[in-house]
Amino acid sequence: MSKKVDKEDRMNLSEDQQHILVVDDDKGLRDLVADYLGGSGYKVHVAEDGTTMRAVLSEQVVDLVVLDLMLPGEDGLSLLRWLHERHGPPVIIISARGDEVDRVVGLELGADDYLAKPFGPRELLARVRAVLRRTDNELDVLSDPHALILFLGRFVYSSITMY
């Protein structure tokens, strides 16, 4: 049986849990996603806009951002560019804009994955796990003192694994 994790419980989870920031202006969806990911063992913070997202990122180490594109004020693509320029955490876009052109633009601007709304929570969880698994593998290689690492743009080649 799974235990429902409320907002206070999510804020008090242990330090070793991976931390996800959910940025969406739709409070119902934002809370639903946060509850599901929190119930799946992740530490979760939420933000309703870019200003709040930046405030959380300035105070917290975040492993992944789940980002809506259509936000009040600064839009999600602008925030994605900002994160990418600063070598921020990986990003999964969630958006009602599900056309191929929108998905391609999001991915080319630096998103690690793109999920069109409406989506099932289990699919989002699977994508979160996949992106975090890739990120963890990259960090393992980068922290190996015996690895020969070559950076070519966005590509990382190592003597251990090729990405």
Short mmCIF file of all heavy atoms in Angstrom, two decimals, residues 21-81:
data_model
loop_
_atom_site.label_atom_id
_atom_site.label_comp_id
_atom_site.label_asym_id
_atom_site.label_seq_id
_atom_site.Cartn_x
_atom_site.Cartn_y
_atom_site.Cartn_z
N LEU A 21 12.03 19.84 -9.21
CA LEU A 21 11.27 21.08 -9.18
C LEU A 21 10.22 21.03 -10.28
O LEU A 21 10.56 20.85 -11.45
CB LEU A 21 12.21 22.28 -9.39
CG LEU A 21 11.55 23.65 -9.54
CD1 LEU A 21 10.72 24.01 -8.31
CD2 LEU A 21 12.61 24.71 -9.81
N VAL A 22 8.95 21.16 -9.90
CA VAL A 22 7.83 21.15 -10.85
C VAL A 22 7.38 22.59 -11.06
O VAL A 22 6.98 23.26 -10.11
CB VAL A 22 6.66 20.28 -10.33
CG1 VAL A 22 5.49 20.33 -11.30
CG2 VAL A 22 7.11 18.86 -10.07
N VAL A 23 7.47 23.07 -12.31
CA VAL A 23 7.10 24.44 -12.63
C VAL A 23 5.91 24.42 -13.58
O VAL A 23 6.03 24.04 -14.74
CB VAL A 23 8.29 25.20 -13.30
CG1 VAL A 23 7.92 26.66 -13.53
CG2 VAL A 23 9.56 25.06 -12.48
N ASP A 24 4.75 24.81 -13.05
CA ASP A 24 3.52 24.84 -13.84
C ASP A 24 2.57 25.82 -13.19
O ASP A 24 2.45 25.85 -11.96
CB ASP A 24 2.88 23.45 -13.91
CG ASP A 24 1.87 23.31 -15.03
OD1 ASP A 24 0.97 24.17 -15.13
OD2 ASP A 24 1.97 22.35 -15.81
N ASP A 25 1.88 26.63 -13.99
CA ASP A 25 0.96 27.62 -13.43
C ASP A 25 -0.39 27.02 -13.05
O ASP A 25 -1.17 27.63 -12.32
CB ASP A 25 0.76 28.79 -14.39
CG ASP A 25 0.15 28.38 -15.71
OD1 ASP A 25 0.49 27.29 -16.22
OD2 ASP A 25 -0.65 29.16 -16.26
N ASP A 26 -0.68 25.82 -13.52
CA ASP A 26 -1.93 25.13 -13.17
C ASP A 26 -1.75 24.44 -11.82
O ASP A 26 -1.10 23.40 -11.72
CB ASP A 26 -2.26 24.11 -14.26
CG ASP A 26 -3.54 23.34 -14.01
OD1 ASP A 26 -3.97 23.20 -12.84
OD2 ASP A 26 -4.11 22.84 -15.00
N LYS A 27 -2.31 25.05 -10.78
CA LYS A 27 -2.11 24.54 -9.42
C LYS A 27 -2.56 23.09 -9.27
O LYS A 27 -1.88 22.29 -8.63
CB LYS A 27 -2.85 25.43 -8.40
CG LYS A 27 -2.65 24.96 -6.97
CD LYS A 27 -3.33 25.87 -5.98
CE LYS A 27 -3.25 25.44 -4.55
NZ LYS A 27 -2.43 24.35 -4.15
N GLY A 28 -3.68 22.74 -9.85
CA GLY A 28 -4.17 21.36 -9.74
C GLY A 28 -3.19 20.36 -10.32
O GLY A 28 -2.86 19.36 -9.69
N LEU A 29 -2.71 20.63 -11.53
CA LEU A 29 -1.75 19.72 -12.17
C LEU A 29 -0.41 19.74 -11.44
O LEU A 29 0.19 18.69 -11.22
CB LEU A 29 -1.54 20.10 -13.64
CG LEU A 29 -0.57 19.23 -14.41
CD1 LEU A 29 -1.06 17.78 -14.45
CD2 LEU A 29 -0.36 19.76 -15.81
N ARG A 30 0.02 20.93 -11.05
CA ARG A 30 1.30 21.06 -10.32
C ARG A 30 1.28 20.23 -9.04
O ARG A 30 2.21 19.48 -8.76
CB ARG A 30 1.52 22.55 -10.00
CG ARG A 30 2.82 22.87 -9.35
CD ARG A 30 2.99 24.38 -9.17
NE ARG A 30 2.03 24.96 -8.25
CZ ARG A 30 1.24 26.00 -8.53
NH1 ARG A 30 1.30 26.59 -9.71
NH2 ARG A 30 0.40 26.46 -7.62
N ASP A 31 0.20 20.33 -8.28
CA ASP A 31 0.10 19.58 -7.03
C ASP A 31 -0.05 18.08 -7.28
O ASP A 31 0.51 17.26 -6.55
CB ASP A 31 -1.06 20.10 -6.18
CG ASP A 31 -0.78 21.48 -5.60
OD1 ASP A 31 0.40 21.91 -5.61
OD2 ASP A 31 -1.74 22.12 -5.14
N LEU A 32 -0.79 17.71 -8.33
CA LEU A 32 -0.96 16.30 -8.67
C LEU A 32 0.39 15.67 -9.02
O LEU A 32 0.74 14.60 -8.52
CB LEU A 32 -1.94 16.15 -9.84
CG LEU A 32 -2.26 14.73 -10.28
CD1 LEU A 32 -3.08 14.01 -9.21
CD2 LEU A 32 -3.05 14.77 -11.58
N VAL A 33 1.16 16.36 -9.87
CA VAL A 33 2.48 15.86 -10.27
C VAL A 33 3.41 15.79 -9.05
O VAL A 33 4.11 14.80 -8.83
CB VAL A 33 3.10 16.73 -11.39
CG1 VAL A 33 4.57 16.40 -11.61
CG2 VAL A 33 2.30 16.57 -12.68
N ALA A 34 3.39 16.84 -8.23
CA ALA A 34 4.24 16.87 -7.04
C ALA A 34 3.88 15.75 -6.07
O ALA A 34 4.76 15.08 -5.52
CB ALA A 34 4.13 18.23 -6.35
N ASP A 35 2.60 15.52 -5.86
CA ASP A 35 2.17 14.44 -4.97
C ASP A 35 2.59 13.07 -5.50
O ASP A 35 3.06 12.22 -4.74
CB ASP A 35 0.65 14.47 -4.77
CG ASP A 35 0.19 15.62 -3.89
OD1 ASP A 35 1.03 16.21 -3.18
OD2 ASP A 35 -1.02 15.93 -3.93
N TYR A 36 2.44 12.87 -6.81
CA TYR A 36 2.79 11.57 -7.39
C TYR A 36 4.30 11.33 -7.30
O TYR A 36 4.74 10.26 -6.89
CB TYR A 36 2.31 11.50 -8.84
CG TYR A 36 2.39 10.09 -9.40
CD1 TYR A 36 1.42 9.15 -9.10
CD2 TYR A 36 3.46 9.71 -10.19
CE1 TYR A 36 1.50 7.85 -9.58
CE2 TYR A 36 3.56 8.41 -10.67
CZ TYR A 36 2.57 7.49 -10.37
OH TYR A 36 2.67 6.20 -10.84
N LEU A 37 5.09 12.33 -7.67
CA LEU A 37 6.54 12.17 -7.61
C LEU A 37 7.02 12.07 -6.16
O LEU A 37 7.90 11.27 -5.86
CB LEU A 37 7.24 13.33 -8.33
CG LEU A 37 7.02 13.40 -9.84
CD1 LEU A 37 7.65 14.66 -10.42
CD2 LEU A 37 7.54 12.15 -10.54
N GLY A 38 6.42 12.84 -5.27
CA GLY A 38 6.76 12.74 -3.85
C GLY A 38 6.42 11.38 -3.29
O GLY A 38 7.19 10.79 -2.52
N GLY A 39 5.28 10.84 -3.70
CA GLY A 39 4.87 9.50 -3.26
C GLY A 39 5.74 8.40 -3.85
O GLY A 39 5.75 7.28 -3.36
N SER A 40 6.48 8.75 -4.90
CA SER A 40 7.39 7.79 -5.53
C SER A 40 8.80 7.90 -5.01
O SER A 40 9.73 7.31 -5.57
CB SER A 40 7.37 7.99 -7.05
OG SER A 40 6.08 7.74 -7.56
N GLY A 41 8.99 8.69 -3.94
CA GLY A 41 10.28 8.74 -3.27
C GLY A 41 11.16 9.93 -3.58
O GLY A 41 12.31 9.98 -3.14
N TYR A 42 10.66 10.90 -4.34
CA TYR A 42 11.47 12.07 -4.67
C TYR A 42 11.14 13.22 -3.74
O TYR A 42 10.02 13.36 -3.27
CB TYR A 42 11.22 12.51 -6.12
CG TYR A 42 11.67 11.47 -7.12
CD1 TYR A 42 10.76 10.59 -7.69
CD2 TYR A 42 13.01 11.37 -7.47
CE1 TYR A 42 11.18 9.62 -8.59
CE2 TYR A 42 13.43 10.40 -8.38
CZ TYR A 42 12.51 9.54 -8.93
OH TYR A 42 12.93 8.59 -9.81
N LYS A 43 12.15 14.05 -3.50
CA LYS A 43 11.93 15.32 -2.81
C LYS A 43 11.42 16.29 -3.88
O LYS A 43 12.02 16.39 -4.96
CB LYS A 43 13.25 15.81 -2.21
CG LYS A 43 13.16 17.12 -1.49
CD LYS A 43 14.53 17.48 -0.91
CE LYS A 43 14.50 18.84 -0.24
NZ LYS A 43 15.84 19.20 0.26
N VAL A 44 10.33 17.00 -3.61
CA VAL A 44 9.70 17.83 -4.64
C VAL A 44 9.45 19.24 -4.11
O VAL A 44 8.97 19.42 -3.00
CB VAL A 44 8.36 17.21 -5.10
CG1 VAL A 44 7.72 18.07 -6.19
CG2 VAL A 44 8.55 15.78 -5.60
N HIS A 45 9.81 20.22 -4.94
CA HIS A 45 9.41 21.60 -4.73
C HIS A 45 8.55 22.01 -5.92
O HIS A 45 8.66 21.40 -7.00
CB HIS A 45 10.63 22.53 -4.64
CG HIS A 45 11.17 22.68 -3.27
ND1 HIS A 45 12.06 21.78 -2.73
CD2 HIS A 45 10.94 23.62 -2.33
CE1 HIS A 45 12.36 22.16 -1.50
NE2 HIS A 45 11.69 23.27 -1.23
N VAL A 46 7.73 23.03 -5.74
CA VAL A 46 6.86 23.50 -6.82
C VAL A 46 7.07 24.99 -7.03
O VAL A 46 7.46 25.71 -6.11
CB VAL A 46 5.38 23.19 -6.53
CG1 VAL A 46 5.13 21.70 -6.50
CG2 VAL A 46 4.90 23.85 -5.25
N ALA A 47 6.79 25.43 -8.25
CA ALA A 47 6.84 26.85 -8.60
C ALA A 47 5.75 27.11 -9.63
O ALA A 47 5.50 26.28 -10.51
CB ALA A 47 8.20 27.21 -9.16
N GLU A 48 5.13 28.29 -9.54
CA GLU A 48 4.05 28.61 -10.47
C GLU A 48 4.52 29.50 -11.63
O GLU A 48 3.77 29.70 -12.58
CB GLU A 48 2.88 29.27 -9.76
CG GLU A 48 3.18 30.64 -9.18
CD GLU A 48 3.81 30.60 -7.79
OE1 GLU A 48 4.01 29.50 -7.24
OE2 GLU A 48 4.14 31.67 -7.27
N ASP A 49 5.74 30.00 -11.56
CA ASP A 49 6.25 30.88 -12.62
C ASP A 49 7.78 30.92 -12.59
O ASP A 49 8.41 30.31 -11.72
CB ASP A 49 5.66 32.29 -12.49
CG ASP A 49 5.95 32.93 -11.15
OD1 ASP A 49 6.93 32.56 -10.48
OD2 ASP A 49 5.17 33.82 -10.74
N GLY A 50 8.34 31.69 -13.52
CA GLY A 50 9.79 31.76 -13.62
C GLY A 50 10.45 32.42 -12.42
O GLY A 50 11.54 32.01 -12.00
N THR A 51 9.81 33.42 -11.87
CA THR A 51 10.37 34.11 -10.70
C THR A 51 10.51 33.14 -9.53
O THR A 51 11.56 33.08 -8.87
CB THR A 51 9.48 35.31 -10.31
OG1 THR A 51 9.40 36.19 -11.42
CG2 THR A 51 10.04 36.04 -9.11
N THR A 52 9.47 32.37 -9.29
CA THR A 52 9.50 31.39 -8.19
C THR A 52 10.51 30.28 -8.49
O THR A 52 11.23 29.83 -7.60
CB THR A 52 8.10 30.81 -7.95
OG1 THR A 52 7.16 31.87 -7.84
CG2 THR A 52 8.06 29.95 -6.71
N MET A 53 10.59 29.86 -9.77
CA MET A 53 11.56 28.83 -10.15
C MET A 53 12.98 29.29 -9.83
O MET A 53 13.76 28.56 -9.23
CB MET A 53 11.45 28.51 -11.65
CG MET A 53 12.44 27.47 -12.12
SD MET A 53 12.59 27.35 -13.92
CE MET A 53 13.81 28.64 -14.21
N ARG A 54 13.30 30.53 -10.22
CA ARG A 54 14.65 31.05 -9.97
C ARG A 54 14.93 31.15 -8.47
O ARG A 54 16.05 30.89 -8.03
CB ARG A 54 14.82 32.41 -10.63
CG ARG A 54 15.00 32.31 -12.13
CD ARG A 54 15.39 33.68 -12.69
NE ARG A 54 15.72 33.58 -14.08
CZ ARG A 54 14.89 33.88 -15.08
NH1 ARG A 54 13.67 34.29 -14.82
NH2 ARG A 54 15.28 33.75 -16.33
N ALA A 55 13.92 31.53 -7.70
CA ALA A 55 14.10 31.63 -6.24
C ALA A 55 14.41 30.26 -5.64
O ALA A 55 15.32 30.12 -4.82
CB ALA A 55 12.85 32.22 -5.59
N VAL A 56 13.68 29.23 -6.07
CA VAL A 56 13.93 27.87 -5.56
C VAL A 56 15.33 27.42 -5.97
O VAL A 56 16.09 26.89 -5.15
CB VAL A 56 12.86 26.87 -6.07
CG1 VAL A 56 13.25 25.44 -5.73
CG2 VAL A 56 11.49 27.20 -5.49
N LEU A 57 15.71 27.67 -7.22
CA LEU A 57 17.03 27.24 -7.70
C LEU A 57 18.16 27.97 -7.01
O LEU A 57 19.27 27.44 -6.90
CB LEU A 57 17.12 27.41 -9.22
CG LEU A 57 16.27 26.45 -10.04
CD1 LEU A 57 16.27 26.86 -11.50
CD2 LEU A 57 16.73 25.02 -9.87
N SER A 58 17.91 29.18 -6.53
CA SER A 58 18.96 29.92 -5.83
C SER A 58 19.16 29.40 -4.41
O SER A 58 20.21 29.64 -3.81
CB SER A 58 18.64 31.42 -5.80
OG SER A 58 17.56 31.68 -4.92
N GLU A 59 18.18 28.68 -3.89
CA GLU A 59 18.24 28.19 -2.50
C GLU A 59 18.40 26.68 -2.39
O GLU A 59 18.77 26.18 -1.33
CB GLU A 59 16.98 28.60 -1.75
CG GLU A 59 16.78 30.09 -1.64
CD GLU A 59 15.43 30.47 -1.06
OE1 GLU A 59 14.67 29.55 -0.66
OE2 GLU A 59 15.13 31.66 -1.01
N GLN A 60 18.12 25.95 -3.45
CA GLN A 60 18.10 24.48 -3.40
C GLN A 60 18.95 23.89 -4.52
O GLN A 60 19.03 24.47 -5.60
CB GLN A 60 16.66 23.96 -3.58
CG GLN A 60 15.66 24.48 -2.58
CD GLN A 60 15.85 23.84 -1.22
OE1 GLN A 60 16.20 22.68 -1.12
NE2 GLN A 60 15.61 24.62 -0.18
N VAL A 61 19.52 22.73 -4.26
CA VAL A 61 20.16 21.95 -5.32
C VAL A 61 19.07 21.06 -5.90
O VAL A 61 18.44 20.28 -5.19
CB VAL A 61 21.32 21.09 -4.77
CG1 VAL A 61 21.87 20.19 -5.86
CG2 VAL A 61 22.39 21.98 -4.18
N VAL A 62 18.82 21.21 -7.19
CA VAL A 62 17.75 20.48 -7.86
C VAL A 62 18.35 19.54 -8.89
O VAL A 62 19.24 19.92 -9.65
CB VAL A 62 16.77 21.48 -8.54
CG1 VAL A 62 15.75 20.77 -9.38
CG2 VAL A 62 16.09 22.36 -7.48
N ASP A 63 17.88 18.29 -8.91
CA ASP A 63 18.40 17.29 -9.84
C ASP A 63 17.67 17.28 -11.17
O ASP A 63 18.22 16.81 -12.17
CB ASP A 63 18.29 15.90 -9.21
CG ASP A 63 19.12 15.79 -7.95
OD1 ASP A 63 20.34 15.97 -8.04
OD2 ASP A 63 18.54 15.53 -6.87
N LEU A 64 16.43 17.78 -11.20
CA LEU A 64 15.62 17.75 -12.42
C LEU A 64 14.53 18.79 -12.31
O LEU A 64 13.95 18.99 -11.24
CB LEU A 64 14.98 16.36 -12.58
CG LEU A 64 13.98 16.17 -13.72
CD1 LEU A 64 14.69 16.17 -15.07
CD2 LEU A 64 13.20 14.88 -13.54
N VAL A 65 14.23 19.46 -13.45
CA VAL A 65 13.11 20.40 -13.52
C VAL A 65 12.07 19.83 -14.48
O VAL A 65 12.40 19.43 -15.59
CB VAL A 65 13.57 21.79 -14.01
CG1 VAL A 65 12.38 22.74 -14.20
CG2 VAL A 65 14.59 22.40 -13.05
N VAL A 66 10.82 19.78 -14.03
CA VAL A 66 9.68 19.45 -14.88
C VAL A 66 9.03 20.79 -15.18
O VAL A 66 8.53 21.47 -14.28
CB VAL A 66 8.70 18.49 -14.18
CG1 VAL A 66 7.47 18.24 -15.05
CG2 VAL A 66 9.39 17.17 -13.83
N LEU A 67 9.05 21.22 -16.45
CA LEU A 67 8.74 22.59 -16.83
C LEU A 67 7.62 22.68 -17.86
O LEU A 67 7.71 22.09 -18.93
CB LEU A 67 10.02 23.22 -17.42
CG LEU A 67 9.95 24.65 -17.94
CD1 LEU A 67 9.67 25.63 -16.80
CD2 LEU A 67 11.26 25.01 -18.64
N ASP A 68 6.59 23.45 -17.51
CA ASP A 68 5.52 23.77 -18.47
C ASP A 68 6.01 24.89 -19.37
O ASP A 68 6.83 25.73 -18.95
CB ASP A 68 4.26 24.20 -17.70
CG ASP A 68 3.07 24.47 -18.61
OD1 ASP A 68 3.05 23.96 -19.76
OD2 ASP A 68 2.16 25.18 -18.18
N LEU A 69 5.53 24.94 -20.60
CA LEU A 69 5.95 26.00 -21.51
C LEU A 69 5.10 27.26 -21.40
O LEU A 69 5.61 28.36 -21.53
CB LEU A 69 5.91 25.51 -22.96
CG LEU A 69 6.95 24.46 -23.36
CD1 LEU A 69 6.84 24.14 -24.83
CD2 LEU A 69 8.35 24.92 -23.01
N MET A 70 3.81 27.08 -21.18
CA MET A 70 2.90 28.23 -21.16
C MET A 70 2.72 28.71 -19.73
O MET A 70 1.84 28.25 -19.01
CB MET A 70 1.58 27.86 -21.82
CG MET A 70 1.74 27.54 -23.30
SD MET A 70 0.22 27.28 -24.18
CE MET A 70 -0.21 25.63 -23.65
N LEU A 71 3.57 29.66 -19.34
CA LEU A 71 3.56 30.20 -17.99
C LEU A 71 3.25 31.70 -18.05
O LEU A 71 3.55 32.35 -19.05
CB LEU A 71 4.94 30.00 -17.32
CG LEU A 71 5.39 28.56 -17.10
CD1 LEU A 71 6.85 28.53 -16.70
CD2 LEU A 71 4.53 27.91 -16.04
N PRO A 72 2.72 32.25 -16.97
CA PRO A 72 2.51 33.70 -16.94
C PRO A 72 3.86 34.42 -16.86
O PRO A 72 4.81 33.91 -16.29
CB PRO A 72 1.70 33.92 -15.65
CG PRO A 72 2.01 32.75 -14.79
CD PRO A 72 2.28 31.60 -15.74
N GLY A 73 3.94 35.57 -17.48
CA GLY A 73 5.21 36.30 -17.49
C GLY A 73 6.17 35.65 -18.45
O GLY A 73 5.89 35.47 -19.63
N GLU A 74 7.32 35.24 -17.95
CA GLU A 74 8.33 34.61 -18.79
C GLU A 74 7.90 33.21 -19.17
O GLU A 74 7.53 32.41 -18.32
CB GLU A 74 9.65 34.58 -18.00
CG GLU A 74 10.84 34.24 -18.83
CD GLU A 74 12.14 34.41 -18.08
OE1 GLU A 74 12.12 34.68 -16.86
OE2 GLU A 74 13.19 34.24 -18.71
N ASP A 75 7.95 32.89 -20.46
CA ASP A 75 7.48 31.58 -20.91
C ASP A 75 8.52 30.49 -20.66
O ASP A 75 9.69 30.77 -20.36
CB ASP A 75 7.08 31.62 -22.38
CG ASP A 75 8.25 31.70 -23.34
OD1 ASP A 75 9.37 32.00 -22.90
OD2 ASP A 75 8.04 31.46 -24.54
N GLY A 76 8.07 29.26 -20.78
CA GLY A 76 8.92 28.11 -20.49
C GLY A 76 10.14 27.99 -21.39
O GLY A 76 11.21 27.55 -20.95
N LEU A 77 10.02 28.36 -22.67
CA LEU A 77 11.18 28.27 -23.57
C LEU A 77 12.28 29.23 -23.15
O LEU A 77 13.46 28.90 -23.20
CB LEU A 77 10.77 28.52 -25.02
CG LEU A 77 9.97 27.41 -25.70
CD1 LEU A 77 9.57 27.81 -27.11
CD2 LEU A 77 10.74 26.10 -25.70
N SER A 78 11.89 30.41 -22.71
CA SER A 78 12.87 31.37 -22.20
C SER A 78 13.56 30.83 -20.95
O SER A 78 14.78 30.95 -20.79
CB SER A 78 12.18 32.69 -21.91
OG SER A 78 13.05 33.59 -21.30
N LEU A 79 12.78 30.23 -20.05
CA LEU A 79 13.36 29.63 -18.84
C LEU A 79 14.26 28.45 -19.18
O LEU A 79 15.31 28.26 -18.56
CB LEU A 79 12.24 29.19 -17.89
CG LEU A 79 11.39 30.33 -17.33
CD1 LEU A 79 10.18 29.77 -16.59
CD2 LEU A 79 12.21 31.23 -16.44
N LEU A 80 13.87 27.67 -20.19
CA LEU A 80 14.69 26.55 -20.64
C LEU A 80 16.04 27.05 -21.15
O LEU A 80 17.09 26.50 -20.80
CB LEU A 80 13.97 25.76 -21.73
CG LEU A 80 14.73 24.62 -22.38
CD1 LEU A 80 15.05 23.54 -21.37
CD2 LEU A 80 13.91 24.05 -23.54
N ARG A 81 16.02 28.12 -21.96
CA ARG A 81 17.28 28.71 -22.45
C ARG A 81 18.14 29.17 -21.28
O ARG A 81 19.35 28.95 -21.26
CB ARG A 81 16.99 29.90 -23.37
CG ARG A 81 16.77 29.52 -24.80
CD ARG A 81 16.75 30.78 -25.67
NE ARG A 81 15.65 30.73 -26.60
CZ ARG A 81 14.42 31.18 -26.39
NH1 ARG A 81 14.08 31.75 -25.28
NH2 ARG A 81 13.50 31.06 -27.31
#
